[in-house]
């Protein structure tokens, strides 16, 4: 590499080139690195020494989209990847069943949480309701 290469980038990630020798050996010309992940990495490094700076870096990271392999990723409130809404015809029968089961389980858990929130507390059931709530919160992590 006689000339220094400047990393290419788009709105969401850097494309960092490999040296020519490594690119020939690996068959890959470079690495894709998310701008968001860069800020989150920097925030983790200063968490212990400067929490205020870490919070600022996390706030900056929130302005950049999430990417996976260079492609923009949409995530739900729990951090799970949201699938393409129009991909139903491309799924196999097994994938359709899995997605349907997952959505049904999520709906059931949401209903159960709602029922627990509006449950009338009495001394006999208070411990059971608390235990179920704690176990549901562990599942959702």
């Amino acid at each position: 590499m006689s000339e220094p290469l400047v990393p290419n980038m788009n709105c969401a990630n850097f494309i960092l080139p490999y040296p020519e020798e490594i690119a020939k050996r690996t068959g890959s010309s470079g690495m894709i690195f998310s701008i968001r992940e860069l800020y989150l990495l920097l925030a983790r490094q200063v968490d212990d020494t400067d929490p205020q700076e870490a919070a600022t870096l996390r706030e900056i990271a929130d302005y950049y989209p999430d990417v996976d392999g260079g492609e923009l990723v949409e995530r739900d409130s729990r951090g799970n990847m949201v699938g393409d809404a129009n991909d139903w015809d491309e799924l196999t029968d097994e994938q359709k069943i899995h997605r349907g089961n997952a959505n049904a389980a999520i709906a059931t858990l949401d209903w159960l949480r709602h029922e627990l929130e509006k449950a009338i507390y009495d001394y006999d059931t208070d411990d059971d309701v608390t235990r179920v709530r704690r176990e549901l919160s562990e599942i959702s992590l």
Side-chain angles (χ1 to χ4, degrees):
M1 250 171 72
S2 56
E3 289 180 32
L5 292 172
V6 177
N8 297 322
M9 69 177 276
N10 64 16
C11 67
N13 56 19
F14 294 106
I15 302 170
L16 304 171
Y18 290 155
E20 291 175 27
E21 302 82 32
I22 295 175
K24 287 178 186 174
R25 187 181 57 195
T26 62
S28 178
S29 60
M31 176 181 81
I32 297 173
F33 194 76
S34 164
I35 295 172
R36 178 186 181 93
E37 285 300 317
L38 174 65
Y39 280 110
L40 292 175
L41 176 67
L42 294 171
R44 283 190 296 271
Q45 288 181 341
V46 297
D47 258 338
D48 295 333
T49 58
D50 192 356
Q52 203 169 21
E53 178 68 16
T56 302
L57 290 167
R58 284 190 177 87
E59 184 180 348
I60 293 168
D62 286 340
Y63 281 94
Y64 290 96
D66 198 3
V67 296
D68 181 32
E71 298 296 322
L72 295 178
V73 174
E74 186 180 342
R75 296 193 183 271
D76 63 12
S77 62
R78 297 178 183 166
N80 300 320
M81 293 174 86
V82 176
D84 183 8
N86 298 326
D87 68 343
W88 188 258
D89 294 334
E90 301 166 9
L91 298 177
T92 65
D93 289 340
E94 186 176 315
Q95 290 170 324
K96 288 178 183 177
I97 290 170
H98 175 74
R99 185 178 290 176
N101 288 343
N103 289 339
I106 291 169
T108 302
L109 286 174
D110 287 343
W111 173 82
L112 185 55
R113 283 190 190 111
H114 174 71
E115 290 297 317
L116 286 172
E117 286 175 7
K118 67 178 192 171
I120 298 173
Y121 290 104
D122 63 16
Y123 187 73
D124 296 335
T125 62
D126 191 35
D127 291 336
D128 292 333
V129 170
T130 303
R131 181 181 53 80
V132 171
R133 281 186 174 172
R134 286 183 182 153
E135 290 181 12
L136 281 176
S137 69
E138 286 180 21
I139 291 171
S140 66
L141 294 177

